Amino acid sequence: MRYCINCCIHLLPNDLHRQCFRCRGPDHNNQKCPVCRGENKIPLYTDSKQMKWLAVLEVRTDHCESWNGLFCLRKGKLCSLMFGLIIMTLVMVSYMLTGAKHGLLLIPSPFHYGAFASNPSLMDNESLSDMKDYYQPSKMNISYVKDYPSIKLIIDTITSKIEFITRQRPDLEELRKQEPHMFSVIPNKFLPNSKNPCWYEEYRGNTTTDPYATNSYALYSKRFRIIFDYLRKVFWNHLYHYKDKHYRLRCLPRFYIIGQPKCGTTDLYDRLRLHPDVRFSAIKEPHWWTRKRFGIIRLRDGFHDRYPVEDYLDLFDLAAHQIQSVLQGDAGQERGRRSNIIIGEASASTMWDNNAWVFFYDNSTEGEPPFLIQDFIHAFQPNAKLIIMLRDPVER
């Protein structure tokens, strides 16, 4: 030991103090040192035995650590409280800025509170000055109603200055030049005894060929592999044999559910599935017309290999099998019956997604594109049904 702690706590015996290098150094003053003078000695005894100075140090160290731990605990609680207050403040500010919660808004609402008189002539013929007599805002009614007469007046003003011109539909031959493979696969006429657009296509593969080996939906979508595994098992049982040739039933959807995002397309899809005569594609949203057939899996990833029309038709094989069972009839039943089963497809992007059109069909952003999605759908299915789902953009 080179240094003693005598001058700090005065608990060491004198012999240990005399051996201390610092106390016996050249700068040591016996007159000023309290130990050398024999003053301020504070011996510590426990059970009539003098306690070692290391024990005293351990006791004092533990006491300080307990206070440090308590201080750290209080500091942690304080930090957690401050963090929670900051998060709460940010949430309230976000509500106030976006207007998601009207109760937190500190600015007057742009909507009037009250009820409108249900007078149809008011909406069409009256001016805004006459509307004040019919519209009386109620302070007791807290449900807001939008100023539809004002909105209608703005829309009428805009439409009066815009001239709408009917778009000329392209010729069928021009469409064939743009998509020759698609027109070679889909025929001009469909089976007369099927309510859904279906036809028989010759299958040239053998029994060892996987009919879905090259399907892009099966290759790139892992969650749909179970569906295609089932289709592989039942594929050969649904082939139609005629004059030493194999034929498979192909179908297109009878109706399309299109619309804007968050407008209830999924809800309508789930409700229509409950109908006994309605079937859907194996995938709810194939996005084939607007994305996959151009090679777009995700727009941020760029272009990939284009999905051929055969991959799109494979998604309706499960429904086609059920239609074929009705057309051919079961054992002991009359053949040639009419099938009332219809197939639907619910890709909302069919209505609005035109991101890929500027890269194909010589389209450009300058002016109106010469070829649109509805041109091809109308060329194949003039009687196709389109169910459009819309919603108020502000509420959406």
Side-chain angles (χ1 to χ4, degrees):
M1 177 176 177
R2 298 180 60 85
Y3 302 99
C4 71
I5 57 173
N6 215 343
C7 299
C8 299
I9 58 176
H10 311 296
L11 295 178
L12 290 178
N14 294 332
D15 56 349
L16 195 58
H17 172 72
R18 297 189 185 93
Q19 300 175 5
C20 178
F21 176 78
R22 177 183 296 176
C23 297
R24 308 303 298 174
D27 298 332
H28 181 71
N29 191 344
N30 295 332
Q31 299 297 327
K32 296 182 179 180
C33 180
V35 177
C36 297
R37 294 166 52 189
E39 300 177 357
N40 299 330
K41 292 184 179 180
I42 309 176
L44 180 63
Y45 294 91
T46 303
D47 297 334
S48 302
K49 295 181 180 180
Q50 189 174 6
M51 181 180 290
K52 295 182 180 180
W53 68 275
L54 290 178
V56 177
L57 287 180
E58 291 176 357
V59 172
R60 292 197 173 190
T61 302
D62 294 340
H63 184 69
C64 294
E65 289 181 354
S66 62
W67 280 101
N68 291 335
L70 182 60
F71 178 75
C72 294
L73 181 61
R74 292 180 179 177
K75 185 177 180 181
K77 289 184 177 180
L78 182 61
C79 293
S80 301
L81 179 60
M82 295 299 296
F83 182 75
L85 291 176
I86 293 174
I87 294 298
M88 185 182 301
T89 304
L90 293 177
V91 171
M92 293 182 65
V93 170
S94 64
Y95 273 117
M96 294 171 63
L97 293 179
T98 58
K101 297 295 182 181
H102 302 283
L104 295 177
L105 288 177
L106 301 180
I107 58 176
S109 174
F111 305 112
H112 298 285
Y113 291 83
F116 286 96
S118 59
N119 189 354
S121 63
L122 177 65
M123 302 290 293
D124 300 327
N125 303 324
E126 299 296 333
S127 62
L128 285 177
S129 60
D130 299 332
M131 293 176 187
K132 296 180 180 179
D133 299 334
Y134 294 94
Y135 173 66
Q136 297 294 336
S138 176
K139 297 182 179 179
M140 299 302 295
N141 186 8
I142 62 174
S143 62
Y144 69 93
V145 179
K146 297 178 182 178
D147 195 352
Y148 286 105
S150 300
I151 296 176
K152 187 178 186 304
L153 180 61
I154 296 175
I155 294 176
D156 293 340
T157 304
I158 296 175
T159 54
S160 62
K161 300 179 180 180
I162 298 177
E163 183 181 359
F164 294 95
I165 301 175
T166 304
R167 178 178 177 271
Q168 296 295 329
R169 196 166 60 244
D171 296 335
L172 184 61
E173 294 300 326
E174 296 178 355
L175 295 175
R176 290 181 182 272
K177 293 179 182 179
Q178 299 296 330
E179 293 288 348
H181 177 71
M182 190 187 308
F183 280 89
S184 65
V185 175
I186 302 177
N188 297 329
K189 296 182 180 180
F190 305 112
L191 295 177
N193 55 345
S194 175
K195 193 174 182 179
N196 198 83
C198 298
W199 69 97
Y200 279 103
E201 176 186 271
E202 182 181 357
Y203 180 73
R204 295 180 174 85
N206 51 36
T207 55
T208 59
T209 304
D210 183 4
Y212 305 103
T214 59
N215 188 286
S216 301
Y217 286 99
L219 294 176
Y220 295 107
S221 301
K222 296 181 179 180
R223 56 177 177 168
F224 302 124
R225 291 180 181 176
I226 299 177
I227 299 176
F228 285 100
D229 289 340
Y230 173 77
L231 291 175
R232 291 187 185 93
K233 295 178 181 179
V234 301
F235 177 79
W236 298 104
N237 299 331
H238 293 86
L239 287 180
Y240 179 67
H241 305 279
Y242 181 74
K243 292 183 179 181
D244 298 333
K245 292 183 179 181
H246 303 284
Y247 296 89
R248 61 186 298 187
L249 188 66
R250 288 292 204 176
C251 295
L252 279 172
R254 169 72 173 176
F255 64 93
Y256 298 85
I257 299 178
I258 63 177
Q260 293 295 324
K262 306 300 180 183
C263 289
T265 55
T266 303
D267 181 73
L268 181 62
Y269 167 82
D270 293 333
R271 293 176 185 271
L272 290 178
R273 289 179 60 188
L274 302 177
H275 196 282
D277 292 335
V278 176
R279 303 292 185 273
F280 278 94
S281 56
I283 302 173
K284 174 185 175 291
E285 294 180 326
H287 298 297
W288 185 79
W289 288 101
T290 56
R291 301 175 185 175
K292 298 300 189 297
R293 70 188 185 102
F294 298 113
I296 297 178
I297 300 178
R298 295 180 182 87
L299 189 61
R300 63 177 181 269
D301 298 336
F303 291 93
H304 298 266
D305 295 335
R306 301 180 65 174
Y307 286 31
V309 64
E310 290 87 353
D311 293 357
Y312 180 63
L313 297 176
D314 288 344
L315 302 179
F316 307 102
D317 279 358
L318 191 60
H321 295 166
Q322 300 179 12
I323 295 176
Q324 183 180 2
S325 300
V326 177
L327 295 178
Q328 296 181 357
D330 298 333
Q333 295 183 358
E334 183 181 357
R335 294 177 178 267
R337 297 183 303 171
R338 178 177 175 81
S339 174
N340 293 324
I341 297 177
I342 59 175
I343 306 175
E345 195 250 271
S347 295
S349 63
T350 306
M351 176 180 176
W352 56 268
D353 192 354
N354 298 315
N355 292 318
W357 284 80
V358 295
F359 304 102
F360 298 91
Y361 308 133
D362 297 330
N363 288 338
S364 63
T365 57
E366 299 178 358
E368 188 172 336
F371 303 102
L372 298 176
I373 297 175
Q374 56 264 33
D375 298 331
F376 292 95
I377 296 179
H378 183 268
F380 296 122
Q381 302 173 259
N383 299 322
K385 305 298 181 181
L386 301 177
I387 303 177
I388 303 176
M389 303 291 293
L390 301 176
R391 188 179 176 185
D392 186 346
V394 177
E395 294 180 355
R396 180 174 65 89

